[in-house]
Amino acid sequence: MAGLNTTWKMDDRDVHLGDIIRYLNQRRRRVYHIPARSLYKMLRRRLETGRKRMMRSDISVPIILVVDRETRRPTVVLDGNHRLAKAAKMRAGIPFRILYSDEYDMLFGT
């Protein structure tokens, strides 16, 4: 299980999921809820997930959603694709936290 061990390799450095969560906590980003199918449609892309991993995922854990600050539109699920796919399949809601795209650029150095 990946979880908090999730790391993204960015050129000469690594970005850890724990760092992103601490960043969101420092900014007191709250948890929102949305019907998973609605979010899935807003993302306008198919989620490629393994069935076993999707079925093991815990949809009560908030996903991290990158949102364009100007348009307020979600652009990508940074963490939680399996949870979103499972919740959509179950026609359930999904909790999420927002990381704005400009913050993503700053944290990931893009």
Side-chain angles (χ1 to χ4, degrees):
M1 183 177 205
L4 288 176
N5 295 327
T6 300
T7 302
W8 296 270
K9 302 254 184 232
M10 305 304 295
D11 295 324
D12 59 344
R13 65 189 180 94
D14 295 341
V15 179
H16 302 278
L17 178 57
D19 298 332
I20 304 298
I21 292 171
R22 276 189 291 284
Y23 179 87
L24 294 173
N25 289 342
Q26 288 170 352
R27 278 143 190 84
R28 297 181 196 213
R29 293 288 164 76
R30 63 176 280 211
V31 175
Y32 298 94
H33 291 82
I34 189 171
R37 288 185 155 238
S38 296
L39 178 55
Y40 187 86
K41 287 178 185 176
M42 280 187 249
L43 291 169
R44 297 183 188 143
R45 70 177 191 85
R46 188 164 186 259
L47 296 174
E48 300 293 330
T49 62
R51 179 167 169 70
K52 284 184 180 180
R53 188 166 173 197
M54 177 186 72
M55 295 312 291
R56 285 193 320 256
S57 65
D58 180 355
I59 64 172
S60 69
V61 176
I63 65 173
I64 298 175
L65 187 61
V66 178
V67 172
D68 184 284
R69 194 182 292 272
E70 291 179 20
T71 65
R72 302 283 189 211
R73 302 279 310 170
T75 58
V76 69
V77 175
L78 180 63
D79 178 63
N81 283 301
H82 292 91
R83 285 172 269 157
L84 177 57
K86 181 178 180 179
K89 185 175 184 75
M90 294 173 58
R91 298 181 186 273
I94 190 80
F96 69 96
R97 294 176 82 184
I98 294 173
L99 177 69
Y100 290 105
S101 53
D102 58 315
E103 296 170 321
Y104 173 90
D105 293 345
M106 184 243 343
L107 291 166
F108 284 84
T110 60

